[in-house]
């Protein structure tokens, strides 16, 4: 399903059918309705009005995002959205509605909203509105002329954030002051034209993240130190550091140029020697030596300038640390405004007193209640010792092991010796019918007994 967000992800370029909503090529009736003009008022038919506006307004903004531009013109949009030789008749009404909602803003109004001293040099870059545009605005005519430039507010903010991140991640961020020409070169890919670049600077100025100053015919830009910090006005220190940086770059370019000249003189001397022109070779060598001496002098000056810049950068870091210390001391003083040693000691004494009171209460509660009975603990201990001694002297009356008392017959077991048992066995005789006692058996018969299990 088509949506402005998905269309915004498409690469910059024209408007091929694949990047437009499906009905652009498939639904002739729907597109005829969308290409027709709006009614004079929304009250006439709010459903048709909202349907057209819901189609064209997101499409206009997503088209600008995909193209990477923040400046719009009605004429450009009409050319971009041509279909089978027809142009949308309601685009002017769409732009008016976006202006009313604040999603678009006239370029001249945006410039006038930025209160800065450097806007004077930027006015000449932009085309002034024709007189009829000014008169139409004064008379209350809200029609959008085909050539009037409009600014996509949200896209401009995103572009300004992109330029700020680009500067922060570049070597130029070593110092907050940078030449406008160097910044323009850095942002060449993000800002397709000079007017867009100036609009981005105006937006950053509006957000108080940059300020611009003209110094000796050259414009310099000062950035805020942090992403959430506000930029401070350009002072003499900033101008001095900028001049030192320019001197460093000038000396570096001069040293590089002289190095190439010395190498050229050396090559000329070598060719003269090969050709047998000794005097010419000597002159080339002398020129090479003079050039090398100039290079040495320039290196000494360059080292001095770089040393000064290093000290300045170090002092700025020291200043940041000092400011942080100062802020920390102020916060500490504020937090300890009502705290003194006497108050702290008094507070500690009160805490100790309360802890002692709590300990006494705990001990009192742990003592329990005696219900009026007062026992002598020493007498109780003596009586307990006597009981323990008596218990150790008396033998314990323990029952027999139950496993040794299981008998099948309660008749006592008579004690018979082994000799008697052998005599009884000899008196026994065997018969066919069984075991029959002999006539010599003693009077006392062996009574059947059972041994305990």
């Amino acid at each position: 399903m088509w949506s402005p967000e998905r269309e915004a992800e498409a690469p910059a370029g024209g408007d091929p059918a694949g990047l437009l909503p499906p009905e652009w090529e498939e639904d002739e009736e729907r597109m005829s309705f969308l290409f027709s003009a709006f009614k004079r008022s929304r009250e006439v038919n709010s459903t048709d009005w909202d349907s057209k506006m819901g189609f064209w307004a997101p499409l206009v903004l997503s088209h600008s995002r995909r193209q990477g531009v923040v400046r719009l013109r009605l004429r450009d949009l009409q050319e971009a959205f041509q279909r089978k030789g027809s142009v949308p008749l309601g685009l002017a009404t769409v732009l008016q509605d976006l202006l009313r909602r604040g999603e678009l803003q006239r370029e001249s109004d945006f410039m006038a909203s930025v209160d800065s001293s450097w806007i004077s040099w930027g006015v000449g870059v932009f085309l002034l509105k024709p007189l009829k545009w000014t008169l139409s605005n004064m008379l209350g005519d809200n029609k959008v002329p085909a050539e009037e430039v409009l600014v996509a507010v949200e896209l401009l903010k995103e572009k300004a954030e992109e330029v700020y991140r680009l500067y922060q991640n570049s070597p130029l961020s070593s110092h907050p002051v940078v030449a406008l020409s160097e910044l323009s070169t850095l942002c060449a890919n993000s800002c397709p034209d000079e007017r867009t670049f100036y609009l981005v600077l105006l937006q950053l100025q509006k957000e108080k993240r940059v300020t611009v100053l003209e110094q000796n015919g050259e414009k310099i830009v000062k950035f805020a130190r942090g992403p959430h910090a506000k930029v401070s006005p350009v002072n003499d220190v900033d101008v001095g550091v900028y001049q030192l940086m320019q001197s460093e770059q000038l000396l570096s370019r001069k040293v590089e140029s002289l190095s190439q000249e010395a190498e050229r003189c050396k090559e000329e001397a070598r060719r003269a020697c090969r050709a047998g022109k000794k005097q010419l070779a000597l002159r080339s060598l002398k020129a090479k030596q003079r050039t090398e001496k100039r290079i040495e002098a320039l290196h000494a000056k360059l080292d001095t300038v770089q040393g000064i810049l290093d000290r300045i950068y170090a002092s700025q870091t020291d200043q940041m640390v000092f400011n942080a210390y100062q802020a920390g001391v102020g916060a500490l003083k504020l937090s300890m405004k009502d705290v003194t040693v006497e108050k702290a000691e008094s507070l500690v004494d009160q805490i100790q007193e309360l802890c002692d009171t709590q300990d006494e209460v705990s001990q009192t509660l742990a003592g329990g209640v005696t219900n009026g009975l007062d026992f002598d603990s020493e007498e109780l201990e003596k009586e307990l010792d006597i009981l323990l001694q008596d218990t150790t002297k008396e033998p314990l009356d323990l029952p027999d092991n139950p496993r040794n008392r299981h008998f099948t017959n309660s008749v006592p077991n008579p004690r018979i010796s082994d000799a008697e048992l052998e005599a009884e066995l000899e008196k026994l005789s065997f018969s066919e019918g069984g075991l029959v006692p002999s006539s010599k058996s003693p009077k006392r018969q062996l009574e059947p007994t059972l041994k305990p299990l």
Side-chain angles (χ1 to χ4, degrees):
M1 182 178 181
W2 174 83
S3 66
E5 291 76 9
R6 290 181 58 187
E7 187 181 12
E9 297 175 357
D15 271 308
L19 300 179
L20 291 169
E23 57 263 39
W24 190 272
E25 297 292 340
E26 299 174 359
D27 195 338
E28 290 292 336
E29 182 179 357
R30 170 70 173 165
M31 295 311 301
S32 298
F33 164 73
L34 293 173
F35 268 63
S36 62
F38 282 81
K39 303 295 183 181
R40 288 184 175 272
S41 175
R42 181 178 178 273
E43 284 73 13
V44 176
N45 192 334
S46 61
T47 302
D48 290 352
W49 181 286
D50 293 341
S51 178
K52 290 181 180 179
M53 195 63 67
F55 176 86
W56 286 112
L59 187 60
V60 167
L61 296 178
S62 61
H63 167 77
S64 301
R65 187 187 301 276
R66 190 173 64 252
Q67 296 291 330
V69 298
V70 298
R71 302 171 60 252
L72 313 175
R73 291 190 311 172
L74 176 59
R75 183 179 303 278
D76 297 334
L77 293 174
Q78 288 174 341
E79 293 177 358
F81 294 123
Q82 279 190 8
R83 182 180 180 273
K84 298 181 179 180
S86 301
V87 297
L89 301 179
L91 282 180
T93 305
V94 174
L95 297 182
Q96 290 176 13
D97 189 74
L98 291 174
L99 284 169
R100 180 185 59 82
R101 291 187 290 179
E103 297 185 48
L104 294 181
Q105 189 176 7
R106 289 181 170 86
E107 186 180 61
S108 57
D109 294 341
F110 174 77
M111 290 175 57
S113 67
V114 182
D115 185 13
S116 62
S117 59
W118 58 277
I119 194 174
S120 57
W121 60 260
V123 174
V125 179
F126 299 89
L127 297 176
L128 297 177
K129 295 185 299 182
L131 180 60
K132 62 179 182 180
W133 296 1
T134 306
L135 291 176
S136 64
N137 287 336
M138 293 176 61
L139 295 175
D141 188 1
N142 292 325
K143 292 183 178 180
V144 180
E147 299 295 334
E148 185 175 13
V149 179
L150 307 176
V151 177
V153 177
E154 193 62 31
L155 298 182
L156 181 59
K157 292 179 180 179
E158 295 176 4
K159 187 71 70 174
E161 182 65 28
E162 179 183 351
V163 169
Y164 186 81
R165 289 198 305 267
L166 188 63
Y167 161 77
Q168 290 290 340
N169 297 328
S170 70
L172 298 177
S173 61
S174 60
H175 191 268
V177 179
V178 61
L180 182 66
S181 58
E182 295 179 351
L183 185 62
S184 177
T185 303
L186 179 67
C187 302
N189 294 330
S190 298
C191 301
D193 53 70
E194 188 179 24
R195 297 177 70 170
T196 301
F197 175 67
Y198 286 143
L199 285 174
V200 169
L201 284 182
L202 286 169
Q203 178 63 32
L204 290 173
Q205 170 68 21
K206 189 175 183 179
E207 297 173 0
K208 300 187 183 302
R209 293 204 280 179
V210 302
T211 184
V212 181
L213 179 68
E214 188 169 357
Q215 180 71 22
N216 297 328
E218 187 176 7
K219 301 175 184 67
I220 59 178
V221 182
K222 182 179 181 181
F223 281 81
R225 275 297 188 181
H228 304 292
K230 303 297 182 182
V231 66
S232 59
V234 179
N235 51 33
D236 295 338
V237 175
D238 296 327
V239 174
V241 172
Y242 174 74
Q243 291 175 348
L244 284 172
M245 293 173 63
Q246 294 299 109
S247 300
E248 180 187 16
Q249 294 177 3
L250 179 62
L251 289 172
S252 298
R253 290 194 296 267
K254 190 65 175 176
V255 166
E256 183 178 358
S257 176
L258 290 176
S259 298
Q260 294 176 358
E261 183 179 351
E263 189 65 26
R264 180 177 55 81
C265 292
K266 182 179 179 180
E267 188 63 27
E268 290 178 355
R270 183 180 290 109
R271 287 198 302 267
C273 287
R274 291 174 181 174
K277 301 177 181 179
K278 184 176 180 180
Q279 296 298 326
L280 181 59
L282 290 174
R283 284 197 300 269
S284 298
L285 289 177
K286 289 180 181 180
K288 173 180 173 293
Q289 291 178 355
R290 288 194 301 268
T291 303
E292 289 176 346
K293 289 181 179 180
R294 293 174 60 187
I295 292 175
E296 291 178 1
L298 289 177
H299 270 302
K301 295 177 182 179
L302 184 60
D303 292 340
T304 301
V305 172
Q306 290 176 344
I308 295 173
L309 286 174
D310 290 341
R311 288 182 178 273
I312 291 174
Y313 295 151
S315 66
Q316 290 176 348
T317 304
D318 294 341
Q319 182 66 38
M320 293 174 60
V321 175
F322 176 78
N323 293 337
Y325 284 175
Q326 195 171 22
V329 170
L332 189 58
K333 286 182 179 179
L334 185 62
S335 63
M336 298 189 65
K337 181 179 179 181
D338 298 327
V339 179
T340 61
V341 177
E342 291 78 9
K343 290 183 178 180
E345 291 178 348
S346 176
L347 184 61
V348 170
D349 293 340
Q350 293 178 20
I351 294 174
Q352 186 61 45
E353 183 179 353
L354 291 173
C355 290
D356 295 340
T357 302
Q358 184 185 15
D359 292 340
E360 293 178 0
V361 170
S362 299
Q363 293 176 2
T364 301
L365 294 176
V369 180
T370 59
N371 294 327
L373 299 176
D374 189 9
F375 297 98
D376 189 353
S377 59
E378 293 183 359
E379 292 182 357
L380 293 174
E381 290 289 342
K382 292 179 180 179
E383 185 175 354
L384 181 60
D385 292 337
I386 293 172
L387 290 175
L388 291 174
Q389 292 176 1
D390 294 341
T391 303
T392 55
K393 292 179 179 179
E394 294 178 358
L396 296 178
D397 187 10
L398 297 177
D400 295 334
N401 190 345
R403 291 178 296 180
N404 297 329
R405 302 183 62 183
H406 293 306
F407 297 97
T408 58
N409 197 341
S410 60
V411 180
N413 185 15
R415 295 185 176 273
I416 303 174
S417 64
D418 293 339
E420 292 178 345
L421 289 174
E422 292 178 357
E424 289 292 334
L425 288 174
E426 292 177 355
K427 296 177 181 180
L428 293 178
S429 62
F430 292 92
S431 63
E432 295 179 356
L435 185 62
V436 180
S438 174
S439 59
K440 295 181 180 180
S441 65
K443 296 180 179 180
R444 192 178 61 146
Q445 298 290 334
L446 179 63
E447 297 178 0
T449 60
L450 291 178
K451 293 183 179 180
L453 296 174

